[in-house]
Amino acid sequence: MSSLGCDLTVLEELTTNAKQIQDNVLNKILKANANTEYLQRFLQGSSDKELFKKNVPVVSYEDVKPYIDRVANGESSDIISGNPITAFFRRHVDGYKQGKVMRFTFTHPISTTPCGLPLAPAVTSFTKSKYYSSPAKNSTSPDQIILCPDTKQSMYCQLLCGLVQRDEVVSVGAMFASLLVQVIHFLENYWKELSSNIRRGHVSEWITDLSCRDSVSTILVEPNPELADLIENECVQKSWQGIVSRLWPNAKCIEAIVTGTMAQYISVLEFYTNSELPLVSKTYAASESFFGLNLEPLSKPQHVSYTFLPNMSYFEFIDVDVDGGTTGEIVDLVNVKLGSYYEILVTNFSGLHRCRVGDVLQVTGFYNMTPQFRFVRRKNTVLSVYVESTTEEDLLKALARASVLLESLDLMFTGFTCYADISTVPGHYVIYMELRAKVNNTTNVLLLDNNVLVECCCVMEESLNGAYRLFRSKDEHIGALEIRVVPQGTFDSLMEFFASRGSAISQYKTPICLNSADALKVLEDKVLARFFSDKFPTI
């Protein structure tokens, strides 16, 4: 919590006086923004809370995007914000100050809007800003390596520095679990070269970024054949189970977001750590606001709840039923009910007012007067080929059951996404799985058992909601669920595809559902085998 400037005394004050703080936050926002072009239409310059709730509509990002585009194109900030807008970026970044941390962070070149405002992912914007407090003393990687715009060179050098300082590492992490899995895949491909660099005492010649080379030389100061031997002995083993714990024996935790769509990577990270390291998800944040803290960071991912900080933005909540429908009732932060589901609305200091974030949360408890929430799902991430609505939570439950079956083949999935294929009649769900063997065989050929994979399809269908099972079994309005297996590295290619179209690798999350024909082609070109459920699910 120190990284948020929030000690326990401040936390007690914030959570005890949540209602008053929320009212003060809204009052400050409205006084600053009431005369903007956007709010003027609804408030006529007033900062009254009840008028705000009565007149200002609930909106999505798409509704306010035209206003944001006007500012990006050079018009005055007071279209939406009473304060000057000096940059556009997407994500809060928090630090970590305990021990030597091997946290994989990547930056990208900053582009500009038509009027010259900087435009970059938030990690890049923050890291290159005057507000950035260098973690160099606590990080295994010097700033110059993190700031390298070439992701491959940066990743290689961050790994190299982390291996040289292996005994000092107390935490291994990245923004998202998927990114950390990507780094481990990279290590699988480059461990021999990394070991060779350590044996010889200098970095490979293909690392051409001078700042990276100079920074590595301050850490890799001399040949270390003993360490090189140790790395080779660990990495050459048939199974990479527990590889993170073996290479970094003093690591106490894995720090990454492992809730929501990232939950699909929990079993993979548990494999690579031999389930010896807790998976810590400390904060809940989105593009629109920082929301809250996990006050029990060592809790299991499925039990993680976040205590909202009432001073960050003004929060409202739309009541949502279990099936995803909304009642239309909007309540304040302190008026949510234990056990109920809500979609969150944000009014922030930057010009967003009653904006849907798209997250569905469930109230799990209260810390003083402030509610605690668990992340349930993204509201709009669903599959549907008939009139059923399959949520992200449904898919993750189905995936969890399939992973148990894969254990019988000593297989685990390292990538997962899906799409609704309506080119067939009836339409059906297609699940892409990147599988790997827990123990490497001499041929590196993935051994797939048809019966087990077909049963995976059936188990996944049984795990989906009642509407899916009904329409799948009765009159066959939905076709048999299909699993398409792709080889190792396919989801790396998918990430590279999205990166080539402007996505930031440091903030990339594999979409749980795909709609892009071009993205699907990346997967389709590498399909090894296809399997279909061979029976109807129970109703």
Side-chain angles (χ1 to χ4, degrees), residues 104-244:
F104 293 91
T105 304
F106 304 96
T107 57
H108 302 268
I110 296 179
S111 58
T112 58
T113 68
C115 72
L117 290 174
L119 177 64
V123 172
T124 297
S125 297
F126 181 76
T127 303
K128 293 187 175 182
S129 75
K130 64 182 180 180
Y131 303 105
Y132 178 65
S133 177
S134 171
K137 292 182 179 179
N138 304 306
S139 172
T140 55
S141 295
D143 291 345
Q144 291 77 10
I145 294 176
I146 293 173
L147 294 170
C148 174
D150 186 311
T151 302
K152 182 178 179 180
Q153 293 191 52
S154 177
M155 188 180 296
Y156 186 92
C157 292
Q158 288 187 56
L159 270 170
L160 184 55
C161 292
L163 287 167
V164 172
Q165 301 170 90
R166 65 185 293 267
D167 291 330
E168 301 176 65
V169 172
V170 296
S171 172
V172 178
M175 178 72 78
F176 297 111
S178 58
L179 178 57
L180 192 53
V181 171
Q182 167 68 19
V183 170
I184 297 170
H185 287 179
F186 187 90
L187 177 61
E188 287 190 82
N189 292 326
Y190 285 92
W191 66 264
K192 291 181 180 178
E193 186 175 349
L194 288 162
S195 176
S196 175
N197 286 181
I198 292 171
R199 187 178 301 280
R200 293 183 291 113
H202 60 83
V203 68
S204 297
E205 295 304 319
W206 65 268
I207 302 296
T208 57
D209 186 285
L210 294 181
S211 294
C212 280
R213 295 190 68 86
D214 291 343
S215 296
V216 169
S217 67
T218 65
I219 293 170
L220 182 61
V221 294
E222 61 183 1
N224 191 337
E226 293 81 8
L227 176 58
D229 288 341
L230 185 151
I231 293 168
E232 289 178 1
N233 289 337
E234 296 294 350
C235 293
V236 78
Q237 294 184 28
K238 286 186 176 181
S239 174
W240 267 44
Q241 183 170 359
I243 191 65
V244 172

Side-chain angles (χ1 to χ4, degrees), residues 3 36 60 80 100 118-119 135 151 160 162 169 178 227 241 303 306 329 339 357 397 411 476 493:
S3 62
T36 60
S60 67
I80 55 172
K100 275 277 188 181
L119 177 64
T151 302
L160 184 55
V169 172
S178 58
L227 176 58
Q241 183 170 359
H303 298 144
Y306 300 98
E329 182 183 4
V357 174
K397 285 180 180 178
L411 294 176
E476 297 185 54
S493 299

Side-chain angles (χ1 to χ4, degrees), residues 426-429 461 468 472 478-482 532-535:
H428 71 294
Y429 291 6
E461 288 198 309
Y468 175 92
R472 167 82 175 96
I478 301 174
L481 182 143
E482 177 185 3
F532 293 86
S533 60
D534 61 356
K535 57 188 175 184

Side-chain angles (χ1 to χ4, degrees), residues 439-459:
V439 177
N440 297 326
N441 58 52
T442 55
T443 62
N444 288 322
V445 175
L446 197 61
L447 302 177
L448 303 175
D449 185 300
N450 182 78
N451 292 333
V452 173
L453 269 296
V454 168
E455 185 61 22
C456 280
C457 295
C458 298
V459 164

Side-chain angles (χ1 to χ4, degrees), residues 33-45 55-57 59 63-64 67 70 79:
N33 295 341
N35 289 311
T36 60
E37 179 183 323
Y38 180 80
L39 279 187
Q40 180 67 32
R41 298 181 300 153
F42 309 111
L43 300 181
Q44 288 78 49
N55 288 355
V56 177
V59 297
D63 295 320
V64 296
Y67 296 90
R70 286 169 59 190
I79 292 172

Side-chain angles (χ1 to χ4, degrees), residues 230-467:
L230 185 151
I231 293 168
E232 289 178 1
N233 289 337
E234 296 294 350
C235 293
V236 78
Q237 294 184 28
K238 286 186 176 181
S239 174
W240 267 44
Q241 183 170 359
I243 191 65
V244 172
S245 301
R246 288 189 273 126
L247 289 178
W248 293 280
N250 296 318
K252 302 296 189 294
C253 68
I254 298 293
E255 186 183 343
I257 294 173
V258 291
T259 51
T261 59
M262 292 296 105
Q264 61 179 295
Y265 296 98
I266 290 174
S267 61
V268 182
L269 289 176
E270 287 178 339
F271 173 78
Y272 286 130
T273 62
N274 204 28
S275 299
E276 294 173 353
L277 302 179
L279 306 180
V280 175
S281 205
K282 293 197 307 181
T283 59
Y284 172 36
S287 309
E288 296 81 359
S289 178
F290 184 89
F291 297 117
L293 295 169
N294 175 10
L295 299 184
E296 297 182 12
L298 297 182
S299 57
K300 294 288 187 182
Q302 60 268 32
H303 298 144
V304 166
S305 291
Y306 300 98
T307 302
F308 268 43
L309 298 182
N311 60 331
M312 290 295 165
S313 291
Y314 181 67
F315 303 118
E316 297 174 277
F317 300 85
I318 305 177
D319 194 20
V320 176
D321 60 36
V322 177
D323 296 323
T326 61
T327 66
E329 182 183 4
I330 300 176
V331 298
D332 288 341
L333 176 69
V334 296
N335 293 327
V336 297
K337 297 177 181 178
L338 183 66
S340 294
Y341 295 81
Y342 297 95
E343 181 186 358
I344 185 171
L345 305 177
V346 170
T347 296
N348 64 21
F349 290 92
S350 302
L352 294 180
H353 307 286
R354 311 194 89 184
C355 186
R356 293 177 183 265
V357 174
D359 291 353
V360 174
L361 313 175
Q362 183 185 27
V363 184
T364 58
F366 290 83
Y367 186 87
N368 293 324
M369 300 302 295
T370 300
Q372 297 172 307
F373 297 88
R374 78 174 181 95
F375 181 93
V376 177
R377 64 179 183 268
R378 289 287 296 169
K379 186 175 188 299
N380 296 322
T381 304
V382 295
L383 282 179
S384 181
V385 295
Y386 187 55
V387 295
E388 87 292 358
S389 179
T390 297
T391 68
E392 175 183 304
E393 188 174 27
D394 292 331
L395 291 169
L396 292 175
K397 285 180 180 178
L399 186 67
R401 289 194 61 187
S403 67
V404 174
L405 280 177
L406 293 173
E407 288 278 344
S408 67
L409 297 179
D410 278 335
L411 294 176
M412 64 178 183
F413 72 89
T414 54
F416 162 85
T417 191
C418 58
Y419 87 104
D421 185 357
I422 56 174
S423 67
T424 61
V425 180
H428 71 294
Y429 291 6
V430 175
I431 313 295
Y432 291 95
M433 282 189 181
E434 179 180 293
L435 301 178
R436 68 160 292 154
K438 289 188 174 182
V439 177
N440 297 326
N441 58 52
T442 55
T443 62
N444 288 322
V445 175
L446 197 61
L447 302 177
L448 303 175
D449 185 300
N450 182 78
N451 292 333
V452 173
L453 269 296
V454 168
E455 185 61 22
C456 280
C457 295
C458 298
V459 164
M460 291 189 76
E461 288 198 309
E462 286 288 349
S463 305
L464 297 177
N465 60 49

